[in-house]
Amino acid sequence: MARLTKLDRLPEAVKTELMSRILGSAERYESIADWLKQATGTRYSKSTIGRFAQALRSVHGGLLELGLSSEALAANSGKLEKLGAYLVQRELLTRRIESLQKSIFGPLGTGEGER
């Protein structure tokens, strides 16, 4: 099990906004650190934010690539972590593959999609 960081222990609303900022834009860590200082009263280093961002992207990056919004990921990160983001990602990919197969080949045995 991964070790909790200082940023994992932030109040839920602040952590959700932090995750949304990291996943949703190319905002610089210095800018995020300034925002965190205003939001929490505590100064966090750019390297702390960078490590948190790297771990966040490694878990949720695939879901972003599959089309989930950064806001939805941030708002539901606790649930996704409980379910296992990798399992969610696999299921979404399976559904996309099935949908693509249907659009290419049509329902099996009908000849649709053949040329």
Side-chain angles (χ1 to χ4, degrees):
M1 183 172 185
R3 195 176 121 214
L4 290 180
T5 68
K6 295 175 190 177
L7 297 176
D8 287 312
R9 294 180 180 97
L10 289 170
E12 200 60 36
V14 175
K15 185 177 173 187
T16 298
E17 177 64 23
L18 171 64
M19 292 172 72
S20 184
R21 285 173 180 255
I22 289 170
L23 294 172
S25 70
E27 191 171 353
R28 293 177 33 196
Y29 295 157
E30 185 174 336
S31 171
I32 293 172
D34 291 341
W35 169 79
L36 273 172
K37 172 73 172 149
Q38 289 177 336
T40 65
T42 302
R43 179 54 117 172
Y44 294 95
S45 70
K46 292 185 290 185
S47 61
T48 297
I49 295 167
R51 285 189 301 272
F52 180 81
Q54 184 177 18
L56 185 64
R57 286 187 185 110
S58 93
V59 172
H60 297 303
L63 296 174
L64 282 172
E65 290 174 14
L66 288 172
L68 268 67
S69 73
S70 58
E71 295 81 13
L73 283 172
N76 295 294
S77 67
K79 293 176 187 174
L80 286 171
E81 288 170 10
K82 289 178 186 173
L83 291 174
Y86 296 114
L87 294 175
V88 173
Q89 182 178 352
R90 187 179 77 185
E91 179 62 25
L92 289 171
L93 185 56
T94 299
R95 288 181 185 188
R96 277 202 168 173
I97 290 170
E98 290 171 354
S99 174
L100 182 59
Q101 287 173 333
K102 286 178 184 175
S103 71
I104 293 172
F105 302 112
L108 291 178
T110 65
E112 286 184 29
E114 295 177 6
R115 292 192 177 182

